[in-house]
Amino acid sequence: MEALESRHLADLTFAEVSRALRALSSAYVERRERLSEGTAFSGAGKRAAFALFYGPLHFLVVREIARALPDATLVGPSLVDLGCGTGASGAGWASAADRPPRVLGIDRHPWALVEADRTYRAFGLRARTERADATAPLVTASGAVLAAFALNELPAASRDALLTRLLARRAPGDCLLIVEPIARFVTPWWNRWRETVVAAGGRADEWRFVVSLPPIVAKLDRAAGLNHRELTARSLWLPSV
């Protein structure tokens, strides 16, 4: 967090970042149709707001989910972080694992990949990044797959095709964790996906965690008029076979 603050507040004031966070939060709620165009990372202010605020929140949520799910910390030697963003979610799962896996972060945005590389290295993870669409066929033969806070931004047809591929590639040792916001308007497709994953032997959960936020995250939370005293998410978990 100190490194993030030093880097992203070097050329921006706290007030500028908090304004950008309000704009970014509004985009997630009111202009979701443009998220697939990369608007979340348009401009230094929004990038800083994402890295300093949403990234840490995603890390905390995914880490707590991984700790709470049976056998999720027993992930195998590799983890694919689909739509990795700044790498925070992948780092959350990998750092919670009994034996941290090698991580492959996949994202379309070049800035996100640079940030993800820094994030993975900050946690001492063996990792590499690849610029590609999250819906592209995976190059790894097997392993754990994480899709956290990314699928809700995909077109419906691409998203459904991705689930079909992820289930079709399932082999011994594979596992799948999908994490999304708890708000139903963000994931109108969730019920169908839940039924499919549960039918394949998985489970669906809704989570509420009370955690201590890093000081800069708590400060931005207050400044932007948000309230993350309690972190929420929903997940689909398909354990290894």
Side-chain angles (χ1 to χ4, degrees), residues 61-63 65-67 69 72 79-80 82 89 92-93 144-149 151 166 174-180 190 203 205 207 234-239:
V61 167
V62 173
R63 183 191 65 179
I65 291 174
R67 289 174 171 175
L69 283 170
L79 166 63
V80 177
L82 286 179
S89 297
W93 189 4
V145 176
L146 171 66
F149 306 104
L151 299 183
L166 291 175
D174 286 0
C175 56
L176 171 65
L177 176 59
I178 297 168
V179 181
E180 288 289 348
W190 188 262
R203 57 181 278 176
D205 295 277
W207 306 95
R234 59 177 60 189
S235 69
L236 299 175
W237 168 241
L238 193 60

PDB file of all heavy atoms in Angstrom, residues 61-63 65-67 69 72 79-80 82 89 92-93 144-149 151 166 174-180 190 203 205 207 234-239:
ATOM      1  N   VAL A  61     -11.455  -9.117  -0.287  1.00  0.00           N
ATOM      2  CA  VAL A  61     -12.628  -9.975  -0.474  1.00  0.00           C
ATOM      3  C   VAL A  61     -12.215 -11.366  -0.955  1.00  0.00           C
ATOM      4  O   VAL A  61     -12.653 -12.388  -0.403  1.00  0.00           O
ATOM      5  CB  VAL A  61     -13.618  -9.332  -1.472  1.00  0.00           C
ATOM      6  CG1 VAL A  61     -14.659 -10.346  -1.918  1.00  0.00           C
ATOM      7  CG2 VAL A  61     -14.312  -8.140  -0.839  1.00  0.00           C
ATOM      8  N   VAL A  62     -11.385 -11.424  -1.978  1.00  0.00           N
ATOM      9  CA  VAL A  62     -10.996 -12.724  -2.527  1.00  0.00           C
ATOM     10  C   VAL A  62     -10.169 -13.517  -1.519  1.00  0.00           C
ATOM     11  O   VAL A  62     -10.322 -14.732  -1.387  1.00  0.00           O
ATOM     12  CB  VAL A  62     -10.246 -12.551  -3.856  1.00  0.00           C
ATOM     13  CG1 VAL A  62      -9.695 -13.890  -4.353  1.00  0.00           C
ATOM     14  CG2 VAL A  62     -11.181 -11.949  -4.911  1.00  0.00           C
ATOM     15  N   ARG A  63      -9.305 -12.846  -0.793  1.00  0.00           N
ATOM     16  CA  ARG A  63      -8.520 -13.539   0.232  1.00  0.00           C
ATOM     17  C   ARG A  63      -9.430 -14.173   1.276  1.00  0.00           C
ATOM     18  O   ARG A  63      -9.255 -15.343   1.653  1.00  0.00           O
ATOM     19  CB  ARG A  63      -7.564 -12.568   0.913  1.00  0.00           C
ATOM     20  CG  ARG A  63      -6.650 -13.247   1.949  1.00  0.00           C
ATOM     21  CD  ARG A  63      -5.907 -12.236   2.789  1.00  0.00           C
ATOM     22  NE  ARG A  63      -6.809 -11.454   3.622  1.00  0.00           N
ATOM     23  CZ  ARG A  63      -6.418 -10.502   4.464  1.00  0.00           C
ATOM     24  NH1 ARG A  63      -5.134 -10.177   4.541  1.00  0.00           N
ATOM     25  NH2 ARG A  63      -7.289  -9.834   5.202  1.00  0.00           N
ATOM     26  N   ILE A  65     -12.622 -14.996   0.967  1.00  0.00           N
ATOM     27  CA  ILE A  65     -13.394 -16.084   0.362  1.00  0.00           C
ATOM     28  C   ILE A  65     -12.543 -17.341   0.247  1.00  0.00           C
ATOM     29  O   ILE A  65     -12.990 -18.452   0.562  1.00  0.00           O
ATOM     30  CB  ILE A  65     -13.941 -15.652  -1.013  1.00  0.00           C
ATOM     31  CG1 ILE A  65     -15.021 -14.578  -0.844  1.00  0.00           C
ATOM     32  CG2 ILE A  65     -14.504 -16.855  -1.772  1.00  0.00           C
ATOM     33  CD1 ILE A  65     -15.515 -14.001  -2.148  1.00  0.00           C
ATOM     34  N   ALA A  66     -11.311 -17.183  -0.201  1.00  0.00           N
ATOM     35  CA  ALA A  66     -10.419 -18.335  -0.342  1.00  0.00           C
ATOM     36  C   ALA A  66     -10.168 -19.001   0.999  1.00  0.00           C
ATOM     37  O   ALA A  66     -10.068 -20.234   1.091  1.00  0.00           O
ATOM     38  CB  ALA A  66      -9.095 -17.897  -0.972  1.00  0.00           C
ATOM     39  N   ARG A  67     -10.069 -18.224   2.044  1.00  0.00           N
ATOM     40  CA  ARG A  67      -9.863 -18.790   3.379  1.00  0.00           C
ATOM     41  C   ARG A  67     -11.104 -19.502   3.888  1.00  0.00           C
ATOM     42  O   ARG A  67     -11.013 -20.452   4.669  1.00  0.00           O
ATOM     43  CB  ARG A  67      -9.473 -17.685   4.361  1.00  0.00           C
ATOM     44  CG  ARG A  67      -8.068 -17.131   4.160  1.00  0.00           C
ATOM     45  CD  ARG A  67      -7.832 -15.936   5.073  1.00  0.00           C
ATOM     46  NE  ARG A  67      -6.429 -15.496   5.062  1.00  0.00           N
ATOM     47  CZ  ARG A  67      -5.992 -14.418   5.700  1.00  0.00           C
ATOM     48  NH1 ARG A  67      -6.841 -13.667   6.398  1.00  0.00           N
ATOM     49  NH2 ARG A  67      -4.712 -14.090   5.641  1.00  0.00           N
ATOM     50  N   LEU A  69     -13.705 -20.921   1.939  1.00  0.00           N
ATOM     51  CA  LEU A  69     -14.179 -22.050   1.143  1.00  0.00           C
ATOM     52  C   LEU A  69     -13.370 -23.314   1.461  1.00  0.00           C
ATOM     53  O   LEU A  69     -12.142 -23.256   1.554  1.00  0.00           O
ATOM     54  CB  LEU A  69     -14.062 -21.742  -0.348  1.00  0.00           C
ATOM     55  CG  LEU A  69     -15.113 -20.815  -0.934  1.00  0.00           C
ATOM     56  CD1 LEU A  69     -14.711 -20.409  -2.349  1.00  0.00           C
ATOM     57  CD2 LEU A  69     -16.498 -21.460  -0.933  1.00  0.00           C
ATOM     58  N   ALA A  72     -10.064 -24.365  -0.744  1.00  0.00           N
ATOM     59  CA  ALA A  72      -9.633 -23.335  -1.695  1.00  0.00           C
ATOM     60  C   ALA A  72      -8.187 -22.921  -1.470  1.00  0.00           C
ATOM     61  O   ALA A  72      -7.543 -22.412  -2.384  1.00  0.00           O
ATOM     62  CB  ALA A  72     -10.548 -22.120  -1.624  1.00  0.00           C
ATOM     63  N   LEU A  79      -2.320 -20.918 -11.311  1.00  0.00           N
ATOM     64  CA  LEU A  79      -3.552 -20.146 -11.174  1.00  0.00           C
ATOM     65  C   LEU A  79      -3.635 -19.147 -12.312  1.00  0.00           C
ATOM     66  O   LEU A  79      -2.706 -18.356 -12.514  1.00  0.00           O
ATOM     67  CB  LEU A  79      -3.573 -19.410  -9.832  1.00  0.00           C
ATOM     68  CG  LEU A  79      -4.627 -18.298  -9.633  1.00  0.00           C
ATOM     69  CD1 LEU A  79      -6.022 -18.882  -9.693  1.00  0.00           C
ATOM     70  CD2 LEU A  79      -4.406 -17.582  -8.300  1.00  0.00           C
ATOM     71  N   VAL A  80      -4.730 -19.179 -13.053  1.00  0.00           N
ATOM     72  CA  VAL A  80      -4.984 -18.199 -14.105  1.00  0.00           C
ATOM     73  C   VAL A  80      -5.930 -17.144 -13.561  1.00  0.00           C
ATOM     74  O   VAL A  80      -7.018 -17.462 -13.079  1.00  0.00           O
ATOM     75  CB  VAL A  80      -5.598 -18.868 -15.356  1.00  0.00           C
ATOM     76  CG1 VAL A  80      -5.915 -17.811 -16.415  1.00  0.00           C
ATOM     77  CG2 VAL A  80      -4.656 -19.912 -15.926  1.00  0.00           C
ATOM     78  N   LEU A  82      -8.125 -14.430 -14.676  1.00  0.00           N
ATOM     79  CA  LEU A  82      -8.791 -13.903 -15.868  1.00  0.00           C
ATOM     80  C   LEU A  82      -9.287 -12.480 -15.632  1.00  0.00           C
ATOM     81  O   LEU A  82      -9.917 -12.209 -14.618  1.00  0.00           O
ATOM     82  CB  LEU A  82      -9.983 -14.790 -16.237  1.00  0.00           C
ATOM     83  CG  LEU A  82      -9.710 -16.144 -16.870  1.00  0.00           C
ATOM     84  CD1 LEU A  82     -11.040 -16.865 -17.134  1.00  0.00           C
ATOM     85  CD2 LEU A  82      -8.943 -15.992 -18.174  1.00  0.00           C
ATOM     86  N   SER A  89      -6.931  -9.399  -7.093  1.00  0.00           N
ATOM     87  CA  SER A  89      -7.739 -10.574  -6.773  1.00  0.00           C
ATOM     88  C   SER A  89      -6.896 -11.848  -6.841  1.00  0.00           C
ATOM     89  O   SER A  89      -6.973 -12.706  -5.953  1.00  0.00           O
ATOM     90  CB  SER A  89      -8.927 -10.674  -7.734  1.00  0.00           C
ATOM     91  OG  SER A  89      -9.779  -9.566  -7.597  1.00  0.00           O
ATOM     92  N   GLY A  92      -4.775 -12.066  -3.935  1.00  0.00           N
ATOM     93  CA  GLY A  92      -5.546 -12.416  -2.751  1.00  0.00           C
ATOM     94  C   GLY A  92      -5.695 -13.911  -2.589  1.00  0.00           C
ATOM     95  O   GLY A  92      -5.539 -14.447  -1.481  1.00  0.00           O
ATOM     96  N   TRP A  93      -6.013 -14.607  -3.686  1.00  0.00           N
ATOM     97  CA  TRP A  93      -6.154 -16.058  -3.613  1.00  0.00           C
ATOM     98  C   TRP A  93      -4.796 -16.729  -3.468  1.00  0.00           C
ATOM     99  O   TRP A  93      -4.587 -17.584  -2.606  1.00  0.00           O
ATOM    100  CB  TRP A  93      -6.880 -16.581  -4.843  1.00  0.00           C
ATOM    101  CG  TRP A  93      -7.267 -18.040  -4.755  1.00  0.00           C
ATOM    102  CD1 TRP A  93      -7.099 -18.879  -3.685  1.00  0.00           C
ATOM    103  CD2 TRP A  93      -7.907 -18.814  -5.770  1.00  0.00           C
ATOM    104  NE1 TRP A  93      -7.590 -20.132  -3.969  1.00  0.00           N
ATOM    105  CE2 TRP A  93      -8.095 -20.125  -5.245  1.00  0.00           C
ATOM    106  CE3 TRP A  93      -8.327 -18.538  -7.058  1.00  0.00           C
ATOM    107  CZ2 TRP A  93      -8.696 -21.141  -5.978  1.00  0.00           C
ATOM    108  CZ3 TRP A  93      -8.933 -19.554  -7.794  1.00  0.00           C
ATOM    109  CH2 TRP A  93      -9.114 -20.844  -7.268  1.00  0.00           C
ATOM    110  N   ALA A 144      -5.979 -23.952 -11.542  1.00  0.00           N
ATOM    111  CA  ALA A 144      -7.042 -23.143 -10.970  1.00  0.00           C
ATOM    112  C   ALA A 144      -7.317 -21.941 -11.864  1.00  0.00           C
ATOM    113  O   ALA A 144      -6.404 -21.383 -12.475  1.00  0.00           O
ATOM    114  CB  ALA A 144      -6.635 -22.682  -9.573  1.00  0.00           C
ATOM    115  N   VAL A 145      -8.575 -21.549 -11.914  1.00  0.00           N
ATOM    116  CA  VAL A 145      -8.978 -20.380 -12.692  1.00  0.00           C
ATOM    117  C   VAL A 145      -9.776 -19.450 -11.783  1.00  0.00           C
ATOM    118  O   VAL A 145     -10.694 -19.890 -11.082  1.00  0.00           O
ATOM    119  CB  VAL A 145      -9.819 -20.770 -13.918  1.00  0.00           C
ATOM    120  CG1 VAL A 145     -10.314 -19.509 -14.644  1.00  0.00           C
ATOM    121  CG2 VAL A 145      -9.017 -21.640 -14.872  1.00  0.00           C
ATOM    122  N   LEU A 146      -9.413 -18.184 -11.801  1.00  0.00           N
ATOM    123  CA  LEU A 146     -10.124 -17.155 -11.056  1.00  0.00           C
ATOM    124  C   LEU A 146     -10.678 -16.120 -12.017  1.00  0.00           C
ATOM    125  O   LEU A 146      -9.959 -15.625 -12.888  1.00  0.00           O
ATOM    126  CB  LEU A 146      -9.171 -16.467 -10.065  1.00  0.00           C
ATOM    127  CG  LEU A 146      -9.707 -15.216  -9.354  1.00  0.00           C
ATOM    128  CD1 LEU A 146     -10.853 -15.570  -8.420  1.00  0.00           C
ATOM    129  CD2 LEU A 146      -8.584 -14.510  -8.581  1.00  0.00           C
ATOM    130  N   ALA A 147     -11.955 -15.805 -11.864  1.00  0.00           N
ATOM    131  CA  ALA A 147     -12.566 -14.696 -12.602  1.00  0.00           C
ATOM    132  C   ALA A 147     -13.253 -13.828 -11.560  1.00  0.00           C
ATOM    133  O   ALA A 147     -14.343 -14.156 -11.091  1.00  0.00           O
ATOM    134  CB  ALA A 147     -13.557 -15.196 -13.640  1.00  0.00           C
ATOM    135  N   ALA A 148     -12.608 -12.757 -11.146  1.00  0.00           N
ATOM    136  CA  ALA A 148     -13.116 -11.926 -10.052  1.00  0.00           C
ATOM    137  C   ALA A 148     -13.439 -10.529 -10.544  1.00  0.00           C
ATOM    138  O   ALA A 148     -12.561  -9.832 -11.063  1.00  0.00           O
ATOM    139  CB  ALA A 148     -12.093 -11.870  -8.909  1.00  0.00           C
ATOM    140  N   PHE A 149     -14.701 -10.140 -10.398  1.00  0.00           N
ATOM    141  CA  PHE A 149     -15.158  -8.789 -10.735  1.00  0.00           C
ATOM    142  C   PHE A 149     -14.854  -8.436 -12.190  1.00  0.00           C
ATOM    143  O   PHE A 149     -14.591  -7.275 -12.512  1.00  0.00           O
ATOM    144  CB  PHE A 149     -14.521  -7.760  -9.796  1.00  0.00           C
ATOM    145  CG  PHE A 149     -14.742  -8.072  -8.342  1.00  0.00           C
ATOM    146  CD1 PHE A 149     -13.721  -8.611  -7.572  1.00  0.00           C
ATOM    147  CD2 PHE A 149     -15.971  -7.846  -7.759  1.00  0.00           C
ATOM    148  CE1 PHE A 149     -13.919  -8.912  -6.227  1.00  0.00           C
ATOM    149  CE2 PHE A 149     -16.184  -8.146  -6.417  1.00  0.00           C
ATOM    150  CZ  PHE A 149     -15.158  -8.685  -5.653  1.00  0.00           C
ATOM    151  N   LEU A 151     -16.352 -10.726 -15.066  1.00  0.00           N
ATOM    152  CA  LEU A 151     -17.339 -11.287 -15.993  1.00  0.00           C
ATOM    153  C   LEU A 151     -18.514 -10.357 -16.211  1.00  0.00           C
ATOM    154  O   LEU A 151     -19.136 -10.380 -17.275  1.00  0.00           O
ATOM    155  CB  LEU A 151     -17.837 -12.640 -15.472  1.00  0.00           C
ATOM    156  CG  LEU A 151     -16.776 -13.731 -15.311  1.00  0.00           C
ATOM    157  CD1 LEU A 151     -17.427 -15.027 -14.848  1.00  0.00           C
ATOM    158  CD2 LEU A 151     -16.007 -13.950 -16.609  1.00  0.00           C
ATOM    159  N   LEU A 166     -14.892 -23.237 -19.796  1.00  0.00           N
ATOM    160  CA  LEU A 166     -14.282 -23.507 -18.496  1.00  0.00           C
ATOM    161  C   LEU A 166     -14.752 -24.837 -17.931  1.00  0.00           C
ATOM    162  O   LEU A 166     -13.974 -25.578 -17.317  1.00  0.00           O
ATOM    163  CB  LEU A 166     -14.603 -22.376 -17.520  1.00  0.00           C
ATOM    164  CG  LEU A 166     -13.939 -21.023 -17.805  1.00  0.00           C
ATOM    165  CD1 LEU A 166     -14.445 -19.962 -16.832  1.00  0.00           C
ATOM    166  CD2 LEU A 166     -12.416 -21.133 -17.732  1.00  0.00           C
ATOM    167  N   ASP A 174      -8.180 -29.385 -11.396  1.00  0.00           N
ATOM    168  CA  ASP A 174      -8.709 -28.073 -11.769  1.00  0.00           C
ATOM    169  C   ASP A 174      -9.715 -27.582 -10.735  1.00  0.00           C
ATOM    170  O   ASP A 174     -10.446 -28.369 -10.127  1.00  0.00           O
ATOM    171  CB  ASP A 174      -9.414 -28.135 -13.115  1.00  0.00           C
ATOM    172  CG  ASP A 174      -8.448 -28.252 -14.273  1.00  0.00           C
ATOM    173  OD1 ASP A 174      -7.236 -28.285 -14.021  1.00  0.00           O
ATOM    174  OD2 ASP A 174      -8.909 -28.312 -15.423  1.00  0.00           O
ATOM    175  N   CYS A 175      -9.794 -26.289 -10.560  1.00  0.00           N
ATOM    176  CA  CYS A 175     -10.853 -25.687  -9.760  1.00  0.00           C
ATOM    177  C   CYS A 175     -11.157 -24.310 -10.334  1.00  0.00           C
ATOM    178  O   CYS A 175     -10.330 -23.718 -11.038  1.00  0.00           O
ATOM    179  CB  CYS A 175     -10.482 -25.606  -8.281  1.00  0.00           C
ATOM    180  SG  CYS A 175      -8.939 -24.728  -7.924  1.00  0.00           S
ATOM    181  N   LEU A 176     -12.340 -23.814 -10.040  1.00  0.00           N
ATOM    182  CA  LEU A 176     -12.813 -22.559 -10.613  1.00  0.00           C
ATOM    183  C   LEU A 176     -13.448 -21.720  -9.527  1.00  0.00           C
ATOM    184  O   LEU A 176     -14.312 -22.201  -8.778  1.00  0.00           O
ATOM    185  CB  LEU A 176     -13.834 -22.837 -11.721  1.00  0.00           C
ATOM    186  CG  LEU A 176     -14.598 -21.638 -12.301  1.00  0.00           C
ATOM    187  CD1 LEU A 176     -13.659 -20.692 -13.027  1.00  0.00           C
ATOM    188  CD2 LEU A 176     -15.704 -22.132 -13.239  1.00  0.00           C
ATOM    189  N   LEU A 177     -13.043 -20.461  -9.417  1.00  0.00           N
ATOM    190  CA  LEU A 177     -13.638 -19.520  -8.470  1.00  0.00           C
ATOM    191  C   LEU A 177     -14.070 -18.272  -9.231  1.00  0.00           C
ATOM    192  O   LEU A 177     -13.256 -17.625  -9.892  1.00  0.00           O
ATOM    193  CB  LEU A 177     -12.643 -19.141  -7.376  1.00  0.00           C
ATOM    194  CG  LEU A 177     -13.112 -18.090  -6.359  1.00  0.00           C
ATOM    195  CD1 LEU A 177     -14.377 -18.556  -5.637  1.00  0.00           C
ATOM    196  CD2 LEU A 177     -12.010 -17.772  -5.362  1.00  0.00           C
ATOM    197  N   ILE A 178     -15.350 -17.970  -9.144  1.00  0.00           N
ATOM    198  CA  ILE A 178     -15.922 -16.774  -9.764  1.00  0.00           C
ATOM    199  C   ILE A 178     -16.433 -15.883  -8.643  1.00  0.00           C
ATOM    200  O   ILE A 178     -17.170 -16.337  -7.764  1.00  0.00           O
ATOM    201  CB  ILE A 178     -17.070 -17.138 -10.721  1.00  0.00           C
ATOM    202  CG1 ILE A 178     -16.544 -17.994 -11.884  1.00  0.00           C
ATOM    203  CG2 ILE A 178     -17.760 -15.882 -11.250  1.00  0.00           C
ATOM    204  CD1 ILE A 178     -17.643 -18.624 -12.716  1.00  0.00           C
ATOM    205  N   VAL A 179     -16.035 -14.623  -8.654  1.00  0.00           N
ATOM    206  CA  VAL A 179     -16.444 -13.669  -7.625  1.00  0.00           C
ATOM    207  C   VAL A 179     -17.016 -12.438  -8.308  1.00  0.00           C
ATOM    208  O   VAL A 179     -16.420 -11.911  -9.254  1.00  0.00           O
ATOM    209  CB  VAL A 179     -15.260 -13.263  -6.723  1.00  0.00           C
ATOM    210  CG1 VAL A 179     -15.723 -12.291  -5.639  1.00  0.00           C
ATOM    211  CG2 VAL A 179     -14.606 -14.497  -6.101  1.00  0.00           C
ATOM    212  N   GLU A 180     -18.167 -11.996  -7.827  1.00  0.00           N
ATOM    213  CA  GLU A 180     -18.824 -10.827  -8.400  1.00  0.00           C
ATOM    214  C   GLU A 180     -19.466  -9.999  -7.285  1.00  0.00           C
ATOM    215  O   GLU A 180     -19.658 -10.492  -6.163  1.00  0.00           O
ATOM    216  CB  GLU A 180     -19.901 -11.260  -9.407  1.00  0.00           C
ATOM    217  CG  GLU A 180     -19.366 -11.813 -10.716  1.00  0.00           C
ATOM    218  CD  GLU A 180     -18.733 -10.748 -11.599  1.00  0.00           C
ATOM    219  OE1 GLU A 180     -18.899  -9.548 -11.302  1.00  0.00           O
ATOM    220  OE2 GLU A 180     -18.076 -11.109 -12.599  1.00  0.00           O
ATOM    221  N   TRP A 190     -26.611 -14.271 -13.164  1.00  0.00           N
ATOM    222  CA  TRP A 190     -26.053 -15.070 -12.076  1.00  0.00           C
ATOM    223  C   TRP A 190     -26.841 -16.351 -11.796  1.00  0.00           C
ATOM    224  O   TRP A 190     -26.259 -17.423 -11.571  1.00  0.00           O
ATOM    225  CB  TRP A 190     -25.981 -14.235 -10.808  1.00  0.00           C
ATOM    226  CG  TRP A 190     -25.236 -14.916  -9.689  1.00  0.00           C
ATOM    227  CD1 TRP A 190     -25.770 -15.608  -8.646  1.00  0.00           C
ATOM    228  CD2 TRP A 190     -23.818 -14.977  -9.538  1.00  0.00           C
ATOM    229  NE1 TRP A 190     -24.772 -16.086  -7.837  1.00  0.00           N
ATOM    230  CE2 TRP A 190     -23.556 -15.712  -8.369  1.00  0.00           C
ATOM    231  CE3 TRP A 190     -22.734 -14.473 -10.271  1.00  0.00           C
ATOM    232  CZ2 TRP A 190     -22.269 -15.967  -7.901  1.00  0.00           C
ATOM    233  CZ3 TRP A 190     -21.442 -14.725  -9.812  1.00  0.00           C
ATOM    234  CH2 TRP A 190     -21.227 -15.467  -8.652  1.00  0.00           C
ATOM    235  N   ARG A 203     -20.707 -24.990  -5.741  1.00  0.00           N
ATOM    236  CA  ARG A 203     -21.552 -24.339  -4.743  1.00  0.00           C
ATOM    237  C   ARG A 203     -21.595 -22.838  -5.015  1.00  0.00           C
ATOM    238  O   ARG A 203     -20.700 -22.277  -5.658  1.00  0.00           O
ATOM    239  CB  ARG A 203     -21.049 -24.601  -3.326  1.00  0.00           C
ATOM    240  CG  ARG A 203     -19.625 -24.161  -3.082  1.00  0.00           C
ATOM    241  CD  ARG A 203     -19.164 -24.475  -1.667  1.00  0.00           C
ATOM    242  NE  ARG A 203     -19.615 -23.458  -0.717  1.00  0.00           N
ATOM    243  CZ  ARG A 203     -19.406 -23.527   0.603  1.00  0.00           C
ATOM    244  NH1 ARG A 203     -18.777 -24.571   1.114  1.00  0.00           N
ATOM    245  NH2 ARG A 203     -19.819 -22.551   1.397  1.00  0.00           N
ATOM    246  N   ASP A 205     -22.311 -19.013  -3.013  1.00  0.00           N
ATOM    247  CA  ASP A 205     -22.342 -18.388  -1.693  1.00  0.00           C
ATOM    248  C   ASP A 205     -22.473 -16.877  -1.823  1.00  0.00           C
ATOM    249  O   ASP A 205     -22.073 -16.296  -2.833  1.00  0.00           O
ATOM    250  CB  ASP A 205     -21.047 -18.683  -0.924  1.00  0.00           C
ATOM    251  CG  ASP A 205     -20.866 -20.152  -0.603  1.00  0.00           C
ATOM    252  OD1 ASP A 205     -21.449 -20.613   0.400  1.00  0.00           O
ATOM    253  OD2 ASP A 205     -20.162 -20.841  -1.369  1.00  0.00           O
ATOM    254  N   TRP A 207     -21.348 -13.530   0.631  1.00  0.00           N
ATOM    255  CA  TRP A 207     -20.400 -13.293   1.706  1.00  0.00           C
ATOM    256  C   TRP A 207     -20.526 -11.884   2.253  1.00  0.00           C
ATOM    257  O   TRP A 207     -20.786 -10.942   1.507  1.00  0.00           O
ATOM    258  CB  TRP A 207     -18.964 -13.483   1.207  1.00  0.00           C
ATOM    259  CG  TRP A 207     -18.705 -14.801   0.552  1.00  0.00           C
ATOM    260  CD1 TRP A 207     -18.752 -15.073  -0.793  1.00  0.00           C
ATOM    261  CD2 TRP A 207     -18.345 -16.023   1.199  1.00  0.00           C
ATOM    262  NE1 TRP A 207     -18.440 -16.387  -1.015  1.00  0.00           N
ATOM    263  CE2 TRP A 207     -18.191 -16.994   0.181  1.00  0.00           C
ATOM    264  CE3 TRP A 207     -18.125 -16.386   2.533  1.00  0.00           C
ATOM    265  CZ2 TRP A 207     -17.832 -18.312   0.468  1.00  0.00           C
ATOM    266  CZ3 TRP A 207     -17.776 -17.700   2.813  1.00  0.00           C
ATOM    267  CH2 TRP A 207     -17.635 -18.642   1.791  1.00  0.00           C
ATOM    268  N   ARG A 234     -20.464 -12.192  -3.936  1.00  0.00           N
ATOM    269  CA  ARG A 234     -21.039 -13.516  -4.150  1.00  0.00           C
ATOM    270  C   ARG A 234     -20.041 -14.339  -4.947  1.00  0.00           C
ATOM    271  O   ARG A 234     -19.219 -13.788  -5.697  1.00  0.00           O
ATOM    272  CB  ARG A 234     -22.382 -13.432  -4.871  1.00  0.00           C
ATOM    273  CG  ARG A 234     -22.331 -12.768  -6.221  1.00  0.00           C
ATOM    274  CD  ARG A 234     -23.686 -12.780  -6.907  1.00  0.00           C
ATOM    275  NE  ARG A 234     -24.693 -12.082  -6.147  1.00  0.00           N
ATOM    276  CZ  ARG A 234     -25.990 -12.100  -6.438  1.00  0.00           C
ATOM    277  NH1 ARG A 234     -26.425 -12.816  -7.452  1.00  0.00           N
ATOM    278  NH2 ARG A 234     -26.849 -11.419  -5.718  1.00  0.00           N
ATOM    279  N   SER A 235     -20.090 -15.632  -4.780  1.00  0.00           N
ATOM    280  CA  SER A 235     -19.101 -16.471  -5.456  1.00  0.00           C
ATOM    281  C   SER A 235     -19.716 -17.770  -5.947  1.00  0.00           C
ATOM    282  O   SER A 235     -20.738 -18.246  -5.427  1.00  0.00           O
ATOM    283  CB  SER A 235     -17.932 -16.792  -4.517  1.00  0.00           C
ATOM    284  OG  SER A 235     -18.344 -17.647  -3.468  1.00  0.00           O
ATOM    285  N   LEU A 236     -19.085 -18.318  -6.961  1.00  0.00           N
ATOM    286  CA  LEU A 236     -19.341 -19.668  -7.448  1.00  0.00           C
ATOM    287  C   LEU A 236     -18.031 -20.432  -7.316  1.00  0.00           C
ATOM    288  O   LEU A 236     -16.971 -19.951  -7.761  1.00  0.00           O
ATOM    289  CB  LEU A 236     -19.796 -19.653  -8.913  1.00  0.00           C
ATOM    290  CG  LEU A 236     -21.090 -18.895  -9.196  1.00  0.00           C
ATOM    291  CD1 LEU A 236     -21.361 -18.844 -10.702  1.00  0.00           C
ATOM    292  CD2 LEU A 236     -22.277 -19.540  -8.483  1.00  0.00           C
ATOM    293  N   TRP A 237     -18.087 -21.588  -6.723  1.00  0.00           N
ATOM    294  CA  TRP A 237     -16.884 -22.366  -6.450  1.00  0.00           C
ATOM    295  C   TRP A 237     -17.065 -23.785  -6.980  1.00  0.00           C
ATOM    296  O   TRP A 237     -17.999 -24.485  -6.604  1.00  0.00           O
ATOM    297  CB  TRP A 237     -16.600 -22.398  -4.948  1.00  0.00           C
ATOM    298  CG  TRP A 237     -15.568 -23.378  -4.470  1.00  0.00           C
ATOM    299  CD1 TRP A 237     -15.767 -24.406  -3.608  1.00  0.00           C
ATOM    300  CD2 TRP A 237     -14.170 -23.399  -4.797  1.00  0.00           C
ATOM    301  NE1 TRP A 237     -14.580 -25.077  -3.362  1.00  0.00           N
ATOM    302  CE2 TRP A 237     -13.588 -24.471  -4.086  1.00  0.00           C
ATOM    303  CE3 TRP A 237     -13.366 -22.618  -5.627  1.00  0.00           C
ATOM    304  CZ2 TRP A 237     -12.236 -24.783  -4.177  1.00  0.00           C
ATOM    305  CZ3 TRP A 237     -12.006 -22.924  -5.724  1.00  0.00           C
ATOM    306  CH2 TRP A 237     -11.463 -23.990  -5.015  1.00  0.00           C
ATOM    307  N   LEU A 238     -16.173 -24.179  -7.879  1.00  0.00           N
ATOM    308  CA  LEU A 238     -16.164 -25.529  -8.422  1.00  0.00           C
ATOM    309  C   LEU A 238     -14.846 -26.162  -8.021  1.00  0.00           C
ATOM    310  O   LEU A 238     -13.792 -25.833  -8.596  1.00  0.00           O
ATOM    311  CB  LEU A 238     -16.321 -25.491  -9.943  1.00  0.00           C
ATOM    312  CG  LEU A 238     -16.629 -26.817 -10.644  1.00  0.00           C
ATOM    313  CD1 LEU A 238     -17.935 -27.409 -10.138  1.00  0.00           C
ATOM    314  CD2 LEU A 238     -16.705 -26.599 -12.154  1.00  0.00           C
ATOM    315  N   PRO A 239     -14.857 -27.032  -7.006  1.00  0.00           N
ATOM    316  CA  PRO A 239     -13.591 -27.578  -6.512  1.00  0.00           C
ATOM    317  C   PRO A 239     -12.981 -28.592  -7.469  1.00  0.00           C
ATOM    318  O   PRO A 239     -13.617 -29.026  -8.430  1.00  0.00           O
ATOM    319  CB  PRO A 239     -13.995 -28.246  -5.196  1.00  0.00           C
ATOM    320  CG  PRO A 239     -15.430 -28.609  -5.399  1.00  0.00           C
ATOM    321  CD  PRO A 239     -16.010 -27.530  -6.276  1.00  0.00           C
TER     322      PRO A 239
END
